[in-house]
Amino acid sequence: MGEIILHHYDTSPFSEKVRLMLGIKGLAWRSVIQPVIMPKPDLTPLTGGYRRIPVMQIGADIYCDSQVILAEIERRHPTPPVVRGADWAVNLWADRLWFQATVVVIFAEMGDAVPKEFIADREKLSGRPFDTGAMKAAAPFMRQQWRAYAAWLEDGLKQDDFLGGKTPSLADVAAWMNVWWLSGASPTIADELMAGLDRTRAWRDRVRAIGHGKRSDMTPAEAVKVATASEPTSDVACDPGDPSGVKKGDRVVVQADDYGRDPVEGVLVGLSRDRISLAREVGEIDVSHVHFPRAGYVLAKR
Ligand SMILES: N[C@@H](CCC(=O)N[C@@H](CS)C(=O)NCC(=O)O)C(=O)O
């Protein structure tokens, strides 16, 4: 009980942010491998429909999206401190703008090698065509963007070993996802785009050396059992003055504002500037609390 359970898969870049965070904090955690495409029968019953990866589970508390996952790890394990200054804004830039450039650069290169089932799944996820031909056409521009973003790291590393100073910060974690993914999927292009960015390449080695903490496997069925046998323990409160007008006890729907917009319904139990928490009752799981970040999610009354 109380263990950190990470629902992820090894090739998932957003999960890599969380794995690195667990490494920086030196934490032990349980790894539950979920499918890369739908269906995810051992995940969506826990989340209430949210299908994206990663999802963190601690007992009957379910954290959807790397943003709220990283925030919760920082809250429960404040040492060493990782979140600094305007880090959350850097995190959203790396998650959206930089990530979209990385997607185009990688899938343009893979072209016809991308499996059909994967393409069909991602078209459903995004509601748009997954067109590797169009990505090929956009790749020269996106490669330039990618390098321009990496050059910001180079500038940010002038004084210290990490973007956050002498020790890694959330800015390092956020940027790492893109450098890690491209370096693994397409090492030649990564080398090309980081040519002359020597501090960034040295930083890549330093970050890689941090590792992922202490990982041990758990089956998806075991994770569901943990949720069934637990009560939510999160300490949540609703800000009565929240400008949305949504109040504790309201029946609400939460959905992502970008892709993977599957709606999750529940009763509002927590609302703050940066977090939405719902109570849900599903089948054998009496009550779970499902947590989402505020930025990037739409909250509405049912
Ligand atoms: N904003 C989300 C984005 C997560 C995301 O896009 N994850 C990818 C995998 S890295 C995903 O869920 N892809 C579809 C899937 O795996 O089903 C987060 O920060 O966690």
Side-chain angles (χ1 to χ4, degrees):
M1 293 300 166
E3 287 184 307
I4 294 177
I5 302 170
L6 185 65
H7 297 261
H8 68 137
Y9 48 85
D10 284 311
T11 53
S12 155
F14 282 91
S15 304
E16 177 62 15
K17 287 165 68 184
V18 178
R19 295 185 295 248
L20 173 60
M21 180 76 157
L22 293 163
I24 295 170
K25 301 279 187 186
L27 294 172
W29 55 284
R30 309 300 300 274
S31 158
V32 176
I33 298 295
Q34 293 287 351
V36 176
I37 60 174
M38 289 294 269
K40 307 192 186 194
D42 293 311
L43 180 70
T44 45
L46 287 174
T47 61
Y50 182 86
R51 62 155 289 184
R52 300 194 297 189
I53 291 290
V55 167
M56 181 173 80
Q57 175 189 350
I58 299 178
D61 282 280
I62 314 291
Y63 300 86
C64 299
D65 195 290
S66 62
Q67 194 190 133
V68 76
I69 295 173
L70 296 171
E72 184 63 14
I73 295 174
E74 181 82 351
R75 193 185 73 79
R76 290 184 187 236
H77 303 278
T79 318
V82 169
V83 182
R84 282 166 224 170
D87 266 0
W88 288 116
V90 174
N91 183 59
L92 205 59
W93 155 72
D95 278 7
R96 297 208 170 182
L97 285 172
W98 197 358
F99 180 69
Q100 285 314 319
T102 313
V103 165
V104 171
V105 171
I106 289 178
F107 286 108
E109 192 61 14
M110 283 177 74
D112 298 338
V114 183
K116 280 197 187 56
E117 304 72 33
F118 181 87
I119 292 182
D121 180 82
R122 293 313 192 252
E123 288 189 335
K124 261 202 191 138
L125 177 78
S126 67
R128 287 194 317 219
F130 188 100
D131 182 347
T132 51
M135 290 191 203
K136 250 187 196 140
F141 169 73
M142 284 307 195
R143 284 188 193 201
Q144 290 181 45
Q145 296 303 299
W146 203 99
R147 181 165 166 81
Y149 296 149
W152 285 345
L153 302 195
E154 190 71 7
D155 290 346
L157 293 165
K158 263 185 198 149
Q159 274 150 25
D160 281 309
D161 276 0
F162 295 99
L163 297 170
K166 300 205 178 331
T167 57
S169 68
L170 175 62
D172 295 275
V173 170
W176 170 245
M177 163 174 84
N178 291 289
V179 173
W180 170 83
W181 193 24
L182 185 61
S183 301
S186 235
T188 316
I189 298 179
D191 281 350
E192 213 177 290
L193 299 186
M194 287 192 280
L197 304 184
D198 296 341
R199 286 190 292 270
T200 307
R201 292 155 70 111
W203 167 89
R204 179 174 62 178
D205 294 340
R206 268 196 297 281
V207 176
R208 188 174 284 129
I210 294 169
H212 291 158
K214 198 166 173 293
R215 165 177 170 163
S216 60
D217 291 340
M218 180 183 260
T219 63
E222 266 179 272
V224 172
K225 255 195 217 146
V226 170
T228 313
S230 312
E231 303 270 312
T233 59
S234 51
D235 190 10
V236 282
C238 274
D239 173 3
D242 190 89
S244 68
V246 185
K247 302 271 182 250
K248 196 180 182 83
D250 284 347
R251 279 210 78 83
V252 294
V253 181
V254 176
Q255 59 192 132
D257 71 359
D258 48 359
Y259 53 89
R261 298 183 188 196
D262 309 88
V264 178
E265 291 188 20
V267 173
L268 192 75
V269 289
L271 189 63
S272 65
R273 284 178 304 177
D274 58 4
R275 193 178 293 196
I276 304 164
S277 304
L278 307 186
R280 301 191 58 260
E281 289 176 24
V282 234
E284 291 172 5
I285 306 170
D286 280 349
V287 181
S288 66
H289 284 178
V290 187
H291 309 269
F292 297 91
R294 205 79 198 260
Y297 286 78
V298 179
L299 164 69
K301 277 198 213 180
R302 273 211 64 217

